[in-house]
Amino acid sequence: MAFYSKDVDPVFHGAGAKPGLEIWCIEKLRLVPVTKSSIGKFYSGSAYVVLSTTVLKSGPTQHDIHYWLGNDANEVDSALASDKALELDAALGSCAVQYREVQGQETEKFLSYFKPCIIPVEGVFTTQEGALNGDTYQVTLLTCKGDHVAHVKEVAFSRSSLNHNDVFILDTASKIFLFCGCNSSIQERAKALEVVQYIKENKHSGKCEVATIEDGKLVGDSDVGEFWSLFGGYAPIPRDSALGGPQQVDSPVTLFWISLQGKLSQIGSDSLEKDMLEKNKCYMLDCGAEVFVWMGRNTLITERKTSISAAEDFLRKQERSNGTHLTFLTEGLETSIFKSYFNSWPQTAETKLYDEGREKVAAIFKHQGYEVKELPEEDVQSYINCRGTLKVWRVNGHELSLLPASEQTKLYSGDCYIVQYTYPGTERDESLFYAWLGQGSVLEDRADAVFHMDAIVNSARGDPVMAQVAQNKEPLQFFLIFQTLIVYKGGISAGYKKFVAETGVDDDTYDEKKTALFRVQGTGPENMQAIQVDHVSRSLNSSYCYILQSGTSVFTWIGNLTSSKDHDLLDRMIELINPAWQPISVREGSEPDSFWSSLGGKTEYPREKEMKKFIEDPHLFKFTCTEGDFKVKEIYSFTQDDLTTEDVLVLDCQKEIYVWIGRHSTIKSKQEALNLGLKFLQTNILEEELSLEAPIYVITEGHEPPFFTCFFEWDPSKANMHGNSFERKLATLKGKTSSGTAPSRNALKPRSREATPDGLRSRSSSSNGWERSFSPASTVSGSHLKFSDNYSVSSPTPVARKLFTGSSPYQDSPVIEPSSPSTNENSHQIDANETSANSLIYPYQRLTVSSTEPVSGIDVTKREAYLSEEEFAEKIGMPKGAFYKLPKWRQNKLKMAVDLF
């Protein structure tokens, strides 16, 4: 669809050139820009157009357009906002997804732009100076829903508005009250505290008191009495009905064709195919709670306007709720949710319209003098020190065999291995564990590998990161810690040999006397691999260099599309595999007959440039598991603050995923988290065909490695805060510190694998064969472990082991020894308030984390400070003064031992 700059509203010139938000509002039937100082302030009598521009990690920009309609906005302004959103999309090359937003029913994606919340005000937007438009102060009662974005809505200032399920904010002239319904979640309470902070700073200039009111607490607190007096005195809140509000009913999915006159004609229901959508037509997909308008790339702007109006009229005539979300998609920009309603959707079958539009917009921006960056090269940066210590164990049934240092960079594709990499961290040595599963390994060895790794990690100090990795799907970090890696075909483990004997297949284990073909790959001397492949000509690829060993002859084959860097890696690999070799260098196209005869004859092989797959930016999702029901919800515009301690989250980076376990979550073992990661891969949430063999990292709160934190603007002090999310936010709001070194494993106790939720069913994965899990994690059975020759342990079920405070029970297995604490001078400073006589003294039994009668109103990060001097010395084993001279990590360890942390 062509759309020339002369047709664009001048207010849109240069829009989308820089990342961030740009907002316009309808004023007197024209679009005017909203100043940066007013961004986030919406008037209920106005209509707005919002453009979100994001620069993706892979280089290009991504645009999302929303038009927001206030509850009191008139029909003319609302219709104009809809038209202007479409006009803006056209100005950007038709490469944006458009959303209709209705006040009080906004999408989470929209709300994520305005953290912590938006609170619309009465009145109409105006650019005139001094017009306050209803911005005068008044007492308000707000309900606050949501755990990662806050849906804030003003309700009647009446006792009848309160209930037990929600969180409420009562904003008065001198004090803000937070009322937490007894059935509300900790996450919702914590998010509401962010809204309280926002109101305090923006409406009270930071000068007002904050009080938290607990549902059901009637006496003993002056704030409670003051709160209820504002409602005319206390009266019981009625119990909520069992249904808790209207229940969502699954609606049939119906596809309509929209004619040029705006008439809807049903063409399909439920069982839909992508081929039903024609390039020169517009369609509406009615899914009940959400409605999509799909616009073919060959449609005119007038057709698109007609289709959008037809969809809006349809919702009005059907008297649909304002909560029905309406999304407009141009062909090629379909969201994963939209695609999930079709039986199948071709993957990368055609060039994305986004790329076409991006080229047009880039040309426009360059013409206007804006800088436009090209796609960057692949990021090969290592975020951890790669000069650490590497240890590798081969899985041999129920035993682990430690490989000599000279052999630990040589793996066999028929075997499985446990890899431990120890590197210097900020305060101590950190460890990273991998279970590497060879492509030709047997299922029993894969299961043993994951079981061994889980048992070792749970016996180790420091709470290390662990990951499951399959051959040919290794993450970059795996290659970087090896630096040089050779992978041979076949295997030498007992499991592989047994498989060969029982099945009668040829044993293709590497032998210098046999013909062997190696593909050489990598980015440099610190990241290079030689992978043995089938010794046939179809294994060749013009994008790589190869080593062919055939009897006494050795050839190096140089593909026509390789670079001098690839040639350098080839020479280095020859030296590593066998320095005595004297290879014959062969360039593609000039091979002698003996070369092809060694490969069984010449056949066709890939000769085109191997293109790297376009990698989208990472997506963050929250897991919810209730009685076997597995649900996943995306968190938009995510930040470190979205890593909520009560949650289990997954960061989807396409090439690999990270399962993050909050210290207060219900997941109590890393094995369980690994299974959740596999379920996530099976669901294919983003319709991106994630491989079931994609690497799965398991990370616990407070022990995030740099190659995970690089996806966030990371503040280490936030990662080390104590208490649940509500306690943390409350401590921050009241100006108290709540940080320190996180406990190692106090939140991860052993738990049976039977607790892992199952019964997962994905709408679009029923026919793709993914019900048969790749991962051995879900197929491990009881096993007998043996580490080296002098220690063994039996386990009826493969569950995560308890931490051992002393030496590891696996005498020769991988363990993590803490290094000396950092000599940073700040680590030895003593807080005078901690060592001084505390006026508040409580008995030990009431201060412990698991106390049945806990003390309220204390700083939960310093429970030990409320002990008497005598009880402190008895429990901790030293005076307070000596204790506070210790480094923080040592203090926390001592407090953990006596349940004060």
Side-chain angles (χ1 to χ4, degrees), residues 169-318:
I169 298 171
L170 179 61
D171 180 21
T172 70
S174 59
K175 185 178 291 188
I176 303 174
F177 296 89
L178 179 70
F179 176 84
C180 302
C182 58
N183 296 329
S184 62
S185 69
I186 292 175
Q187 296 96 312
E188 282 189 311
R189 299 178 187 188
K191 181 57 63 174
L193 278 176
E194 293 183 18
V195 178
V196 169
Q197 179 72 31
Y198 172 82
I199 295 173
K200 178 179 178 181
E201 293 176 353
N202 289 274
K203 293 188 67 176
H204 299 269
S205 301
K207 299 176 182 178
C208 75
E209 296 182 51
V210 173
T212 56
I213 308 299
E214 185 178 344
D215 185 9
K217 185 175 181 180
L218 307 180
V219 294
D221 191 331
S222 60
D223 290 330
V224 173
E226 184 179 354
F227 173 79
W228 288 112
S229 68
L230 294 169
F231 291 92
Y234 173 78
I237 299 175
R239 288 187 176 273
D240 299 297
S241 63
L243 293 177
Q247 301 298 299
Q248 184 174 342
V249 179
D250 290 337
S251 302
V253 177
T254 308
L255 182 65
F256 298 88
W257 166 58
I258 307 175
S259 70
L260 296 177
Q261 294 75 34
K263 181 181 178 181
L264 299 179
S265 302
Q266 181 175 335
I267 62 171
S269 180
D270 288 326
S271 183
L272 304 176
E273 300 292 339
K274 196 258 185 184
D275 293 341
M276 293 179 172
L277 306 175
E278 299 181 27
K279 299 178 183 294
N280 60 346
K281 294 181 180 180
C282 294
Y283 300 84
M284 186 185 80
L285 183 67
D286 181 13
C287 309
E290 54 190 344
V291 173
F292 298 89
V293 172
W294 185 91
M295 301 171 287
R297 67 173 63 182
N298 294 339
T299 55
L300 301 173
I301 191 171
T302 52
E303 296 177 71
R304 299 184 180 193
K305 284 185 177 181
T306 300
S307 299
I308 292 174
S309 298
E312 292 174 333
D313 290 341
F314 172 82
L315 295 182
R316 278 193 292 268
K317 291 176 181 178
Q318 292 264 322

Side-chain angles (χ1 to χ4, degrees), residues 762-773:
S762 171
R763 181 186 184 101
S764 59
S765 64
S766 59
S767 60
N768 60 11
W770 280 357
E771 283 77 11
R772 186 181 66 178
S773 168

Side-chain angles (χ1 to χ4, degrees), residues 278-585:
E278 299 181 27
K279 299 178 183 294
N280 60 346
K281 294 181 180 180
C282 294
Y283 300 84
M284 186 185 80
L285 183 67
D286 181 13
C287 309
E290 54 190 344
V291 173
F292 298 89
V293 172
W294 185 91
M295 301 171 287
R297 67 173 63 182
N298 294 339
T299 55
L300 301 173
I301 191 171
T302 52
E303 296 177 71
R304 299 184 180 193
K305 284 185 177 181
T306 300
S307 299
I308 292 174
S309 298
E312 292 174 333
D313 290 341
F314 172 82
L315 295 182
R316 278 193 292 268
K317 291 176 181 178
Q318 292 264 322
E319 297 183 347
R320 293 285 183 91
S321 162
N322 283 340
T324 303
H325 292 146
L326 187 54
T327 304
F328 309 102
L329 306 166
T330 302
E331 180 184 1
L333 295 172
E334 297 85 359
T335 63
S336 58
I337 297 176
F338 177 82
K339 290 187 286 187
S340 70
Y341 289 110
F342 291 79
N343 291 334
S344 60
W345 196 276
Q347 294 293 321
T348 61
E350 52 190 318
T351 303
K352 291 179 69 176
L353 180 62
Y354 174 81
D355 293 328
E356 298 177 3
R358 185 167 61 87
E359 292 174 2
K360 298 176 185 177
V361 176
I364 294 173
F365 287 161
K366 284 182 177 179
H367 180 72
Q368 294 178 349
Y370 293 100
E371 180 184 0
V372 179
K373 296 182 179 180
E374 302 297 331
L375 282 173
E377 293 293 325
E378 183 181 8
D379 184 10
V380 294
Q381 175 184 356
S382 175
Y383 292 94
I384 64 174
N385 187 321
C386 290
R387 298 291 182 180
T389 304
L390 183 68
K391 290 185 179 181
V392 181
W393 287 260
R394 180 182 293 111
V395 176
N396 203 19
H398 301 319
E399 299 182 0
L400 292 181
S401 303
L402 178 64
L403 302 187
S406 60
E407 298 295 317
Q408 63 186 10
T409 58
K410 300 174 183 178
L411 309 181
Y412 287 84
S413 62
D415 296 337
C416 296
Y417 298 84
I418 303 297
V419 177
Q420 178 190 10
Y421 180 69
T422 304
Y423 61 96
T426 304
E427 296 183 354
R428 62 179 69 82
D429 283 353
E430 303 287 353
S431 280
L432 172 60
F433 283 88
Y434 287 99
W436 186 85
L437 313 178
Q439 190 175 32
S441 61
V442 297
L443 184 60
E444 290 79 4
D445 280 355
R446 295 184 179 194
D448 282 337
V450 174
F451 178 35
H452 289 340
M453 177 179 66
D454 182 61
I456 295 166
V457 166
N458 282 290
S459 71
R461 304 181 185 93
D463 211 355
V465 175
M466 79 177 197
Q468 174 182 297
V469 172
Q471 183 184 351
N472 297 328
K473 295 294 182 180
E474 297 91 345
L476 176 63
Q477 189 61 61
F478 181 83
F479 287 141
L480 290 175
I481 64 175
F482 273 91
Q483 299 190 15
T484 300
L485 183 64
I486 303 172
V487 180
Y488 298 108
K489 292 180 74 68
I492 56 180
S493 66
Y496 178 79
K497 296 299 183 185
K498 180 182 178 183
F499 169 77
V500 169
E502 291 179 348
T503 60
V505 299
D506 292 334
D507 186 354
D508 59 356
T509 302
Y510 173 74
D511 187 332
E512 290 185 355
K513 299 177 182 179
K514 297 180 180 179
T515 301
L517 181 66
F518 295 88
R519 183 182 69 244
V520 178
Q521 61 188 38
T523 58
E526 295 183 346
N527 171 29
M528 58 181 186
Q529 304 86 42
I531 313 297
Q532 187 179 359
V533 295
D534 293 337
H535 53 276
V536 292
S537 56
R538 66 174 178 271
S539 295
L540 299 175
N541 187 309
S542 299
S543 297
Y544 293 98
C545 294
Y546 291 79
I547 300 170
L548 174 61
Q549 174 193 356
S550 179
T552 58
S553 300
V554 176
F555 296 92
T556 56
W557 187 84
I558 301 173
N560 286 335
L561 300 178
T562 57
S563 65
S564 58
K565 176 191 69 177
D566 299 317
H567 307 161
D568 178 60
L569 295 183
L570 179 63
D571 294 338
R572 290 175 181 271
M573 271 300 175
I574 286 285
E575 287 291 321
L576 286 169
I577 296 176
N578 191 333
W581 281 348
Q582 297 295 323
I584 302 170
S585 181

